[in-house]
Amino acid sequence: MRGFLKTLFGDARNVCVAVICVGVAGLLLRTPLAAAAGLVLPVALLGGAAYLARH
Amino acid sequence: MIGAVVATFLTATVEWVEAYTILLAVALSIGWRRAAGAGLAAMAALGVLTAAGTVALAHAGNLLFLQFLVGFFLILFGVRWLGKAIARQAGLKKLHDEAAEFAALRARAEIFDPRAAWVIAFNGVLLEGLEVWLIVVALGVQTHHTLAAACAALAAAALVLAAGFFARGPLANVPENTIKFTVGCGILALGTFWVLEALGYQWPVGEFSILVLFCFNVAGGLAVARSYKMRLA
């Protein structure tokens, strides 16, 4: 079961990276800076991948 | 459709190579017939999961929620694969070595117990196949080409088995990290596109944005790997 969940969701860091990045983009879409979401999410996810690479 | 099929084929190739290493190690202990039985049982379980997942998702009433869900899973998957590939390219993590994996499996005491070895083979194929299942269901449902994606996964399995038959050993020469890097970038691009679109964002250049996102991920991923490598040197 643990292997199943880890395969589907990854570890806690992986889930946090995805939730934070998508959460920030979602919040941004509700502000006047909504147009920036298309730039912020890819950059945030690349930063997340860079973080995961080191941890 | 082509993107979904290619992504599924590449993902499945990487995962089936790892599953083949497990099957080979088990087969040398309990024979090919039993090992193949375990592998086929795992494939059947994956088939049932694929059908169940596809039906469940296809009947989800809210299409935007479905798109968000699929996109989010792709982000979870893509960011993990890209992170791993960057780490391996930068030298922060060892490259996956099928020969070493094979030797480690052969050194396990349980592999000589027929029942335990069968379970090792079944679990190995099932767990490696779960990522393939995720990609087949996610990309298939979202692009309405689940059958084509499933066929791509089966074609990858056939290719790996054929290569294994000729190699007569673990498939150590597959450029796994390059494939993982490319697939990670592609899956992340699709996930980013679908998640933001489901949240109401209008991409400036429509579906062409997926290609732009893919190129951004490739360039950014290579730059990060290079910068980590330089810091290590």
Side-chain angles (χ1 to χ4, degrees):
Chain A
M1 196 61 193
R2 206 174 158 191
F4 180 83
L5 291 175
K6 203 175 173 193
T7 302
L8 281 187
F9 302 105
D11 60 11
R13 282 196 181 100
N14 189 50
V15 176
C16 283
V17 163
V19 169
I20 291 170
C21 292
V22 173
V24 167
L27 287 175
L28 204 58
L29 283 170
R30 276 147 189 81
T31 70
L33 294 168
L39 292 172
V40 170
L41 184 57
V43 172
L45 287 172
L46 184 63
Y51 166 77
L52 290 174
R54 285 202 75 95
H55 296 86
Chain B
M1 177 187 148
I2 291 173
V5 168
V6 171
T8 308
F9 183 81
L10 291 175
T11 306
T13 303
V14 170
E15 298 303 330
W16 296 145
V17 164
E18 292 175 18
Y20 172 75
T21 302
I22 298 167
L23 272 185
L24 180 66
V26 169
L28 292 180
S29 299
I30 62 170
W32 268 108
R33 187 177 285 186
R34 280 183 172 178
L40 285 173
M43 292 291 272
L46 288 168
V48 171
L49 277 174
T50 304
T54 305
V55 170
L57 288 178
H59 285 85
N62 189 335
L63 287 180
L64 278 181
F65 176 70
L66 174 67
Q67 182 175 331
F68 178 84
L69 198 68
V70 167
F72 188 74
F73 265 101
L74 291 180
I75 283 179
L76 274 176
F77 185 88
V79 82
R80 181 165 28 134
W81 270 37
L82 184 57
K84 271 188 196 170
I86 288 173
R88 286 181 174 143
Q89 198 161 330
L92 294 168
K93 204 174 173 186
K94 272 187 182 172
L95 285 171
H96 191 88
D97 184 347
E98 288 304 320
E101 200 73 28
F102 178 75
L105 270 167
R106 293 290 299 154
R108 282 172 68 174
E110 313 96 273
I111 209 154
F112 297 103
D113 171 18
R115 194 173 288 179
W118 193 94
V119 173
I120 289 174
F122 177 81
N123 281 345
V125 175
L126 187 64
L127 282 180
E128 299 299 345
L130 275 177
E131 284 181 310
V132 180
W133 167 73
L134 181 69
I135 292 294
V136 167
V137 172
L139 292 184
V141 167
Q142 190 58 29
T143 60
H144 308 291
H145 289 295
T146 307
L147 190 62
C151 287
L154 288 176
L159 178 75
V160 167
L161 279 177
F165 179 77
F166 287 112
R168 299 199 176 271
L171 299 170
N173 293 326
V174 175
E176 193 199 313
N177 206 48
T178 307
I179 297 178
K180 268 198 165 164
F181 183 87
T182 311
V183 173
C185 290
I187 296 295
L188 199 55
L190 283 169
T192 307
F193 181 84
W194 282 335
V195 158
L196 276 188
E197 197 179 55
L199 290 173
Y201 181 74
Q202 297 286 321
W203 287 96
V205 282
E207 290 194 347
F208 185 71
S209 305
I210 297 171
L211 186 63
V212 177
L213 287 167
F214 174 73
C215 294
F216 170 78
N217 289 338
V218 170
L222 288 174
V224 171
R226 196 172 177 175
S227 118
Y228 282 167
K229 207 173 190 171
M230 281 166 71
R231 260 192 249 174
L232 269 181

